Amino acid sequence: MASRSRRPEHSGPPELFYDQNEARKYVRNSRMIDIQTKMTERALELLCLPEGQPSYLLDIGCGSGLSGDYISEEGHYWVGIDISPAMLDAALDRDTEGDLLLGDMGQGVPFRPGSFDGCISISAVQWLCNANKKSGVPARRLYCFFSSLYSALVRGARAVLQLCPENSEQLELVAAQATRAGFTGGVVVDFPNSAKAKKFYLCLFSGPSASLPKGLTESQDADQASESMFTSERPHTRRHGGTW
């Protein structure tokens, strides 16, 4: 898991952390752009969208629109929601193709039932695990987010949320609230043995539980992949191979 030091979530609410200076990094820093693009590519792969036809996707924590650029390049349409005005301004300056909405995912995503064919999110959901004010109860905000997301998806659609959990308890909190909202699915861990390359993807199904994709490893050996499944019928997540 990520260490407790130098985590952005500890510095205050995201709408203040992601100011104009941070927004510029997501426009000018080639390394950040490359990392964001690769994680978006992986998230779309895990969505398992139908080939040869465009889908309508929701990007949670869309920021400056880097993920949206890749979504557009793949021939899909998208709507992005973010809590930071500075990041959305950067997206507008870049003329991204998606529609943009200023909003707090912890208060729910404000879309009609069945609006989207899928959802992705890159490095955003962990922000809901921190209470920046007394009314910001993490479990309550997570449930509000997941229940509204469940409604906004077409039945049978997937959501793939890349996140940076601080510890195993935080990951279990997120998974428990997703389960409570009706999702099935689990956590896919890419490169589980690498301190730098390790990535967590929460793969959620808004319908019957499906086979969870395998995580990537340095050797691309599927037998070494890390995954953890849960279903909406179970109140707690189940651990496999010590992943959690």
Side-chain angles (χ1 to χ4, degrees), residues 201-219:
Y201 294 87
L202 184 63
C203 297
L204 303 176
F205 312 134
S206 63
S209 182
S211 176
L212 193 67
K214 295 290 185 180
L216 301 177
T217 66
E218 289 79 358
S219 62

Side-chain angles (χ1 to χ4, degrees), residues 2 16 31 36 41 51 82-84 90 101 106 112 119 128 133-134 136-137 145-146 158 160 178 186 191 206 222 234:
L16 297 182
R31 180 176 178 274
Q36 182 89 6
E41 180 181 6
E51 295 185 8
D82 201 282
I83 198 171
S84 166
L101 176 67
R112 294 178 180 178
C119 170
L128 295 179
K133 51 186 178 181
K134 291 183 179 179
V137 179
F145 164 63
F146 282 121
R158 297 187 180 195
V160 176
F191 310 113
S206 63
R234 295 178 64 88

Side-chain angles (χ1 to χ4, degrees), residues 77 82 111 132 170 187:
Y77 304 98
D82 201 282
F111 300 103
N132 293 305
Q170 197 174 85
V187 178

